[in-house]
């Protein structure tokens, strides 16, 4: 007889006593749950989430390296059905509200909640998760496979590990072989649509099971990768056009034909980078002329390179003057201004989220040595990079101080 699957729980809190207390005092077995990992900060919690894929996450709001709000956002983007409980203090009420808007199931006052309050939530989660599991029991294997692939793909595209590479090579020889046909990889984007791509497919009653079930990898809430054999290309294109007539904000991009695993991996990476650029600049590739899109991608792919206007114009096949005019019209900034804004944004991230030396950051931003980088940063922001970094750390420490009772 098949036993009920244990519900996995992840606890994230920078206070060891809180993590140990939750582990030891809550009767997890009573709710069919098991704590599979705990983490002292948001970054490690995110890594543990990718590894274990827990169905329940209990997280403090204020944590070093990544706070609970950002952790919740990333978790919900990757696995929308995950149940999240936020642990908050009085001062965190507004943050708790942000978390609830992201889809957290509830929050508890860290210093005063009753055991019954937490256990009531866990009982509710158990009931909801079991009901959801029972309703899709016939699809469980396919669903687990899709979630696993989604996790592996996410981890690979974001530099966490390369397990997806081996999986891709294996599937290219087996279920994604398609009788030796070349394939096309689509990235379907449903941001702003009322339904996900999988839901749109169900509504369309699309019959090709290879496409519907065997070769679709969801990526967050509003992206989906699809592997399509060449013989199905026209049918899929027609389906996309048909669905766009119903959901105007539906967008897609594709790469192909692709035969070997390494070609497919390159296509996945290229589609992902393109989508990230669209997200950063709030545009799609069709919004900018192709030459400008390629220029922006070149700058983002090579952050340490010191490109001149002439260099980039030559790379995209335009004259310097034509490129400069077209760039300003499309992007809204001159090439030089865009370069400086891009470097400044990268510098902010490296100062705040890493422990790299000033020399390392200067090299990664293409600003030469640490002395020049410091002068440049101060000229742009009015403060030295060291002061900015110290200020970020102090802000984190201040939000960590408990209010007196």
């Amino acid at each position: 007889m098949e036993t009920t699957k244990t519900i996995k729980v992840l606890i994230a809190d920078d206070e060891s006593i809180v993590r140990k207390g939750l582990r030891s005092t809550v009767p997890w077995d009573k709710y069919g749950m098991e704590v599979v990992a705990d983490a002292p900060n948001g970054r490690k919690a995110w890594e543990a989430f990718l590894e274990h894929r827990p169905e329940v996450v209990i997280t403090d709001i204020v944590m070093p390296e990544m706070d609970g709000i950002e952790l919740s956002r990333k978790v919900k983007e990757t696995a929308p059905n995950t149940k999240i409980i936020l642990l908050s203090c009085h001062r965190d009420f507004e943050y708790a509200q942000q978390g609830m808007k992201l889809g957290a199931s509830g929050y508890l006052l860290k210093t005063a909640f009753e055991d019954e309050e937490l256990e009531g939530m866990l009982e509710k989660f158990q009931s909801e998760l079991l009901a959801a599991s029972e309703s899709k029991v016939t699809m469980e294997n396919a669903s687990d496979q899709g979630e696993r692939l989604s996790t592996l793909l996410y981890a690979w595209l974001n530099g966490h590990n390369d397990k997806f590479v081996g999986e891709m090579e294996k599937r290219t020889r087996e279920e994604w072989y398609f009788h030796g046909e070349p394939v096309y990889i689509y990235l379907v984007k449903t941001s702003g649509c009322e339904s996900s791509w999988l839901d749109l497919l169900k509504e369309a009653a699309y019959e090709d099971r290879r496409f519907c079930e065997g070769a679709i990898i969801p990526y967050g809430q509003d992206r989906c990768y699809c592997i399509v054999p060449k013989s199905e290309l026209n049918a899929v294109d027609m389906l996309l056009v048909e669905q766009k007539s119903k959901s105007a904000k539906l967008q897609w991009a594709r790469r192909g034909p692709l035969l070997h695993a390494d070609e497919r991996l390159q296509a996945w990476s290229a589609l992902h980078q393109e989508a990230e650029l669209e997200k950063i600049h709030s545009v799609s590739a069709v919004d900018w002329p192709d030459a400008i899109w390629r220029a922006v991608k070149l700058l983002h792919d090579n952050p340490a390179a010191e490109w001149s206007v002439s260099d980039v114009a030559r790379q995209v096949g335009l004259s310097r003057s034509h490129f400069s005019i077209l760039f300003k019209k499309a992007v809204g900034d001159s090439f030089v201004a865009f370069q400086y804004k891009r470097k400044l944004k990268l510098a902010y991230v490296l100062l705040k989220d890493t422990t790299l030396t000033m020399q390392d950051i200067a090299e990664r931003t293409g600003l030469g040595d640490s002395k020049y980088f410091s002068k440049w940063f101060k000229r742009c922001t009015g403060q030295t990079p060291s002061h900015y970094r110290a200020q970020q750390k102090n802000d984190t420490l201040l939000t960590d101080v408990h209010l007196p009772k």
Side-chain angles (χ1 to χ4, degrees), residues 303-326:
E306 192 57 45
W307 299 99
S308 69
V309 181
S310 299
D311 290 336
V312 178
R314 188 164 51 252
Q315 288 278 346
V316 299
L318 297 176
S319 69
R320 184 184 185 283
S321 58
H322 185 199
F323 172 76
S324 296
I325 294 169
L326 197 60

Side-chain angles (χ1 to χ4, degrees), residues 28-55:
W28 300 106
D29 289 345
K30 178 180 176 182
Y31 306 104
M33 298 180 181
E34 177 190 3
V35 179
V36 293
D38 62 61
N41 60 57
R43 179 181 59 79
K44 289 188 176 180
W46 175 236
E47 292 171 358
F49 178 83
L50 291 175
E51 179 181 353
H52 297 284
R53 293 294 292 219
E55 291 90 350

Side-chain angles (χ1 to χ4, degrees), residues 101-116:
K101 288 178 181 177
L102 288 171
S105 300
Y107 69 92
L108 297 171
L109 189 58
K110 192 172 176 181
T111 55
F113 75 83
E114 299 292 336
D115 291 345
E116 292 80 3

Side-chain angles (χ1 to χ4, degrees), residues 343-382:
K343 289 177 183 291
L344 185 60
K345 184 175 181 179
L346 178 59
Y348 275 135
V349 171
L350 295 176
L351 287 167
K352 181 181 178 183
D353 297 336
T354 76
T355 57
L356 292 171
T357 66
M358 295 303 166
Q359 181 59 38
D360 287 336
I361 294 175
E363 291 173 1
R364 292 201 184 194
T365 52
L367 289 165
D369 58 35
S370 58
K371 189 174 181 180
Y372 175 76
F373 169 70
S374 294
K375 288 182 178 178
W376 173 83
F377 189 89
K378 186 174 183 180
R379 187 171 68 247
C380 292
T381 67

Side-chain angles (χ1 to χ4, degrees), residues 82-95:
T82 305
K83 307 294 185 182
I84 298 175
I85 297 176
L86 298 170
L87 301 177
S88 69
C89 297
H90 285 292
R91 68 181 184 283
D92 299 331
F93 182 70
E94 290 184 8
Y95 293 110

Side-chain angles (χ1 to χ4, degrees), residues 134-169:
E134 288 168 4
S135 69
K136 61 179 183 179
V137 65
T138 58
M139 302 171 60
E140 192 171 280
N141 290 337
S143 176
D144 286 348
Q145 183 185 65
E147 283 193 12
R148 177 173 174 272
L149 278 175
S150 180
T151 300
L152 291 178
L153 178 62
Y154 188 96
W156 175 64
L157 288 174
N158 290 277
H160 296 295
N161 65 56
D162 59 359
K163 292 179 182 178
F164 181 76
V165 175
E167 188 72 21
M168 181 68 191
E169 292 170 348

